[in-house]
Amino acid sequence: QVQLVESGGGLVQAGGSLRLSCAASGRTFSSYAMGWFRQFPGKEREFVARISRSGGIGYADSVKGRFTISRDNAKNTVYLQMNGLKAEDTAVYYCNAAIQYNRLPGDYWGKGTLVTVSS
């Protein structure tokens, strides 16, 4: 089992930046591939970014070049640096953990953090 807690959401103007953090506890953090997903009101949760145990990275086309995912295994934390935010990035952002990179999303979810981008 792994527990995930997101933080760093908030209100920001279009063009601004935020950094989301996801702190993990429980089993060895470095054993998991990690991902960020987001959910718009009334929509299905969608993939944003992912990072493998060895640092391999993937992004959704909608955020490529603006968002950066990273992880710090010493701190049991995964980050999502979001730059050039747009109103359409407004969503609840969720952290996810999976045993394998290609099995994201896995079984473990945080409760989410709300990002609101004002235009």
Side-chain angles (χ1 to χ4, degrees):
Q1 289 272 348
V2 61
Q3 292 79 43
L4 304 173
V5 179
E6 303 95 337
S7 61
L11 175 64
V12 63
Q13 288 189 332
S17 298
L18 281 175
R19 187 175 81 156
L20 305 183
S21 299
C22 172
S25 60
R27 288 191 174 181
T28 306
F29 174 74
S30 59
S31 299
Y32 289 89
M34 301 298 298
W36 287 97
F37 293 77
R38 64 187 179 183
Q39 190 166 19
F40 305 109
K43 301 289 188 180
E44 294 284 323
R45 204 168 290 186
E46 68 174 34
F47 165 72
V48 175
R50 59 181 178 173
I51 185 165
S52 72
R53 291 173 289 182
S54 59
I57 286 172
Y59 296 99
D61 287 344
S62 59
V63 306
K64 206 170 290 184
R66 300 188 298 123
F67 291 9
T68 302
I69 189 171
S70 62
R71 66 188 299 161
D72 185 338
N73 290 339
K75 295 183 178 180
N76 287 0
T77 302
V78 62
Y79 303 97
L80 185 68
Q81 177 67 42
M82 305 186 296
N83 298 329
L85 282 161
K86 305 174 181 179
E88 52 264 42
D89 294 317
T90 296
V92 178
Y93 284 73
Y94 296 90
C95 180
N96 181 267
I99 293 298
Q100 292 184 356
Y101 185 69
N102 60 2
R103 291 190 179 180
L104 284 163
D107 294 333
Y108 305 106
W109 292 96
K111 293 185 177 181
T113 186
L114 176 63
V115 172
T116 304
V117 185
S118 63
S119 56

